Amino acid sequence: MRQQDPKYTRKYGYRRITDVLHDYGFKINHKWGLRITREHDWLCRAFNHQKLKYNSYKGTVGPIAPNRLKRRFKTSATLPEAGRRC
């Protein structure tokens, strides 16, 4: 298929390859289309969202307000000791 038409490069996913093979008259399902693209290393990597992880971190945004209430944001005790009230 790639020898006949050079446009079948990595931008074609297994679904489009399956549709093209259907147009050529092959009776295959999506599993065979995926298998063919994996064997020939034709899988489209442009739309693989599994590796993208959401990250909302924007860095330091705006000025840091002064500590007017004199709150203690750092502690020398460990977490179980700091949370215990006796």
Side-chain angles (χ1 to χ4, degrees):
M1 181 167 46
R2 287 187 68 191
Q3 293 169 354
Q4 292 177 2
D5 200 349
K7 71 178 180 179
Y8 298 111
T9 57
R10 289 186 196 267
K11 45 186 182 176
Y12 266 44
Y14 74 95
R15 291 179 180 175
R16 288 177 75 177
I17 294 288
T18 305
D19 289 339
V20 169
L21 289 174
H22 282 182
D23 294 341
Y24 282 128
F26 291 96
K27 303 253 183 199
I28 63 167
N29 59 6
H30 68 280
K31 295 176 189 175
W32 272 104
L34 181 60
R35 186 175 188 172
I36 290 168
T37 53
R38 278 186 184 155
E39 287 174 358
H40 294 287
D41 195 31
W42 293 345
L43 271 180
C44 178
R45 300 206 183 3
F47 302 106
N48 187 1
H49 296 292
Q50 292 177 345
K51 294 179 183 172
L52 297 177
K53 198 171 168 186
Y54 178 72
N55 188 1
S56 64
Y57 179 71
K58 304 272 192 229
T60 306
V61 179
I64 297 174
N67 188 7
R68 291 194 176 125
L69 298 176
K70 304 294 185 227
R71 291 189 61 187
R72 189 175 46 123
F73 293 106
K74 294 185 174 120
T75 180
S76 60
T78 59
L79 185 63
E81 294 173 7
R84 191 180 326 150
R85 295 182 184 197
C86 294

